[in-house]
Amino acid sequence: MLPMPAALVLNGPNLNLLGSREPGVYGSATLAEVEAACLLAGVELGLEVECRQTNFEGELVEWVQQAGADQAAGGLVGAVLNAGAYTHTSIALRDAIAGSGLRVVELHISNVHQREEFRHHSYLSAVSAGLVVGFGVAGYPLALRGLSLLAAPTDLR
Ligand code: DQA
């Protein structure tokens, strides 16, 4: 039997605080609960999902670089990436996505376009395969479904 294809769910700064952080904006689910929902979505989609979180920009860059290499080697379909505030600041992360060729679905729990102006621009959108924005934490399973559709060799999107 072939090994199951894998997908990453990468969360950036302050997403470890989910559940207690501005619940009016981000909801009351904890990161552990969100990650459990991602693993479950993976079972439904036939994807082996691995979830990681870091508060460090360089660590995200390294994960993206490695994931791009893993995708090129086969086996990894791509990553769901909530880069938090680095979305709005990080040219390094954008370059890592572009340079590694990693298939990324950019995700935001909140609808960033309804919020402060500085959240309206993303350095990552132009190098991402798809975007999921404003569905609350329910966006994570949606983004995994979208990632698996984008990776599938079919026109039935
Ligand atoms: C966020 C939106 C960002 O603007 C913010 O800095 C975050 C979370 C979201 O999921 O809605 O940390 O990416």
Side-chain angles (χ1 to χ4, degrees), residues 30-125:
T30 64
L31 181 60
E33 289 167 341
V34 170
E35 291 181 345
C38 289
L39 296 190
L40 191 62
V43 172
E44 287 162 8
L45 294 165
L47 290 173
E48 192 176 312
V49 173
E50 184 184 329
C51 300
R52 301 182 197 159
Q53 187 275 332
T54 180
N55 290 322
F56 298 95
E57 182 178 10
E59 189 156 33
L60 277 175
V61 167
E62 290 193 344
W63 285 348
V64 166
Q65 287 180 3
Q66 184 58 52
D70 292 346
Q71 182 186 302
L76 184 77
V77 298
V80 172
L81 173 61
N82 185 350
Y86 292 141
T87 306
H88 317 299
T89 62
S90 182
I91 297 170
L93 197 48
R94 177 200 180 103
D95 285 351
I97 296 168
S100 68
L102 179 65
R103 181 182 294 110
V104 166
V105 174
E106 177 183 344
L107 179 140
H108 301 289
I109 297 166
S110 62
N111 182 347
V112 284
H113 299 289
Q114 288 180 340
R115 301 180 63 196
E116 302 94 326
E117 191 135 4
F118 65 84
R119 297 187 203 275
H120 297 182
H121 176 259
S122 165
Y123 279 107
L124 312 183
S125 297

